[in-house]
Amino acid sequence: MIIVVSVGGSVLARALSPEKFKNYAAAIKEISKKNTVFIVTGGGQVARDYIGVARELGADEATCDLIGIELTRLNSRLLIAALGDNAYYEPPINYKEAKNASLSGKIVVMGGVTPGQTTDAVSAVLAEYTGADLLINATAIDGVYTSDPKKNRDAKKFDSMTPQQLIEIVMKTEMVAGANSPVDLLAAKIIERSNIKTIVLNGEDPKNIVDAAGGKHKGTVIEK
Ligand code: UTP
């Protein structure tokens, strides 16, 4: 199978620790034994801190995004360091480069590509472009809920849902200021237009990714 894994910066690098990257590298190596693997790393709190400072300094939003992209790529570099010779040596800067890099037979790790979106969208487009069989979104919550579970105690988790349902949930969540959507709207639209089988799961424990690649998971599966 071809598998694209989006690892939220909030799970990979909430606080920078070599252990976290080592554990992730071990899990990714495991799934790469039987699959072609692409990893997209998020920026996490460090990206938010940099963006916050840039904004206070008067930088426009596109500039803030470009700074965020640099931070996602730094996390890619740390994961590449942890993967050693198993990974392609450089994070690709676009989708074509990523596809070419994958011809090396190595695990490809990349970050953001263009302002105005997040790495959720990068992973969805990459899954589309590489004809991936599975997109795994490893995030800070354990699936997609009817509403933000941190704000609403009655929120219920979906075991499975259609891409259309995902779009409806994401639009509802994104309209509430400060809410954390499980994936961004652009990613949801891309998942829908190409019917990409997607699993949203808790990425705190990278073993969950290995299980999902093997067909077992406790997250939310999105498919028609
Ligand atoms: P993330 O994908 O980490 O954003 O990219 P996020 O969803 O806010 O954070 P996580 O999932 O909790 O880690 C960090 C920032 O980089 C910029 C955006 O500003 C984003 O908020 N970015 C990222 C882009 O502008 N374009 C991209 O393709 C990717």
Side-chain angles (χ1 to χ4, degrees), residues 8-10 42-44 47-48 51 65 68-69 72 112-119 122:
S10 44
R48 295 214 179 102
I51 288 170
D65 281 347
I69 290 169
T72 63
V113 295
T114 188
Q117 58 177 40
T118 74
T119 49
V122 175

Side-chain angles (χ1 to χ4, degrees), residues 98-122:
K99 211 171 182 174
N100 270 331
S102 172
L103 297 177
S104 66
K106 307 229 178 203
I107 300 161
V108 175
V109 187
M110 69 187 290
V113 295
T114 188
Q117 58 177 40
T118 74
T119 49
D120 290 340
V122 175

Side-chain angles (χ1 to χ4, degrees), residues 176-188:
V176 186
N180 251 327
S181 182
V183 299
D184 73 24
L185 182 58
L186 182 55

Side-chain angles (χ1 to χ4, degrees), residues 6-16 21 40-51 65 67-76 78 110-112 117-120 138:
S6 172
V7 188
S10 44
V11 295
L12 188 64
R14 179 173 294 146
L16 276 185
F21 283 89
V40 180
T41 54
Q45 189 55 46
V46 192
R48 295 214 179 102
D49 290 347
Y50 268 80
I51 288 170
D65 281 347
I67 290 170
I69 290 169
E70 298 290 342
L71 272 301
T72 63
R73 288 172 55 77
L74 284 178
N75 284 333
S76 296
L78 289 179
M110 69 187 290
Q117 58 177 40
T118 74
T119 49
D120 290 340

Side-chain angles (χ1 to χ4, degrees), residues 20-96:
K20 197 89 204 186
F21 283 89
K22 264 189 214 160
N23 292 342
Y24 252 95
I28 291 163
K29 272 190 230 171
E30 184 63 34
I31 59 172
S32 74
K33 284 182 190 158
K34 289 191 189 151
N35 304 285
T36 300
V37 179
F38 295 85
I39 310 289
V40 180
T41 54
Q45 189 55 46
V46 192
R48 295 214 179 102
D49 290 347
Y50 268 80
I51 288 170
V53 172
R55 206 174 268 141
E56 294 236 350
L57 293 171
D60 60 86
E61 286 302 309
T63 299
C64 291
D65 281 347
L66 288 168
I67 290 170
I69 290 169
E70 298 290 342
L71 272 301
T72 63
R73 288 172 55 77
L74 284 178
N75 284 333
S76 296
R77 287 189 187 281
L78 289 179
L79 188 56
I80 289 170
L83 285 163
D85 198 38
N86 297 280
Y88 190 73
Y89 67 99
E90 180 83 9
I93 58 167
N94 58 41
Y95 304 106
K96 279 189 188 173

